[in-house]
Amino acid sequence: MNNETVGSLLAVIANSLNDGLRIMMFADKQGWSSDEFDQLKLLEETLDEAKRDFQELPALVHGQVYYEHDRKSESLEDLRLLCTRFELHMQNFKDWARTGGPINPVWARETIELRRELHRAQCRAARRIFNAEQETTTRCLGAFQVFRVQRSPEKAQQRNLEELMMSNKVGKFERFGEHGIAFVCDFCDGYMVWDDLREMPSHRKPTTTPDGLEPMSGTSTTPATQDTWQATGFSASDGTEKPIVFAPVVIANHMPPVPGEWQARILCPYCDEYYEYEQGDDEMERVKWNQDEDGFEDMAAFKEHLEWSHVGIVPSTTNCSVM
Ligand SMILES: [Zn+2]
Ligand SMILES: [Zn+2]
């Protein structure tokens, strides 16, 4: 079918879900156990979430019509696969309607999994539209949402909370390997990995820049953001305190992994706001600092860069005598 779009495939999935939902809704509920009621609720929630995403995600990328008519091949492939999986899943309920008896509790797990996959597929479709619109390589759409919260002045009072809440909305923290923690972005599938960390700290280290220490002085202006990028965690292997890059700082600045890679690359938010003065024709001109647009390849490289280049925004209690 050549006139498939993101919108038409999502409609097929919604119809499929509706079929299953109707079967459960109109079934004779005498003799139902909690399994059946839970299943009905899960189907309702899945449809609700799909609708909500369909309404909210386009607002991030030029609006409904644009999203609905999008036909990027990767997005269509993702959704086509989901159409088939939803159809197969709903066949269970059609068969059950004929045979009766208790439903298979395994189906609930399948519904939960499909719900999550559908959410991620919609996020990725929106992100592809977003990234295709950018002139240069830039943040992932998921990152951009956290970034916006961090820049919003009215959120300044409770920024830690807001940026963490948004982070949890755009992806998921999970254990990684034996001791690590990863954040996986719903919008790009990129991984950000903190090695050897017991749990993710929920607060930035407070800024305690001593008087008289001018961050990044010289011929350049200082970056607007003076938030510290550090948080204090604990090693999972030996329990010792260790400084890490605060999770929302990483999440807000990641880029979708390049094809074939799984780790998200990370842009430096401080370099991104950094201007230098150069001699122009008549006067000094303000020139945006050009950071390597490929970003840093992993957390270690990003942290090392922050420690060496943005020492002014490191809390004074840390060992920052490198300058
Ligand atoms: Zn992402
Ligand atoms: Zn930098």
Side-chain angles (χ1 to χ4, degrees), residues 89-161:
H89 186 50
M90 294 313 149
Q91 191 59 46
N92 292 326
F93 301 103
K94 288 177 188 162
D95 295 344
W96 168 79
R98 276 196 297 272
T99 58
I103 61 159
N104 187 341
V106 170
W107 300 341
R109 281 211 299 275
E110 282 175 20
T111 310
I112 292 168
E113 195 190 314
L114 282 172
R115 171 184 171 173
R116 174 137 185 87
E117 302 261 325
L118 179 57
H119 170 71
R120 291 172 61 93
Q122 291 215 65
C123 288
R124 286 196 301 268
R127 190 264 303 166
R128 289 186 191 111
I129 297 172
F130 178 78
N131 282 112
E133 288 294 300
Q134 310 296 319
E135 281 169 16
T136 53
T137 40
T138 187
R139 288 175 177 79
C140 166
L141 180 58
F144 190 64
Q145 293 180 75
V146 181
F147 184 76
R148 257 197 320 224
V149 168
Q150 289 172 344
R151 295 305 142 112
S152 142
E154 66 267 28
K155 300 275 168 62
Q157 292 307 312
Q158 38 179 328
R159 188 170 290 152
N160 273 314
L161 185 65

Side-chain angles (χ1 to χ4, degrees), residues 268 270-271 291 296 305-306 309-310:
C268 175
Y270 306 109
C271 286
Q291 68 172 313
F296 297 95
H305 165 79
L306 291 172
S309 306
H310 305 290

Side-chain angles (χ1 to χ4, degrees), residues 140 142-143 185 187-188 254:
C140 166
C185 174
F187 287 79
C188 68
H254 78 273

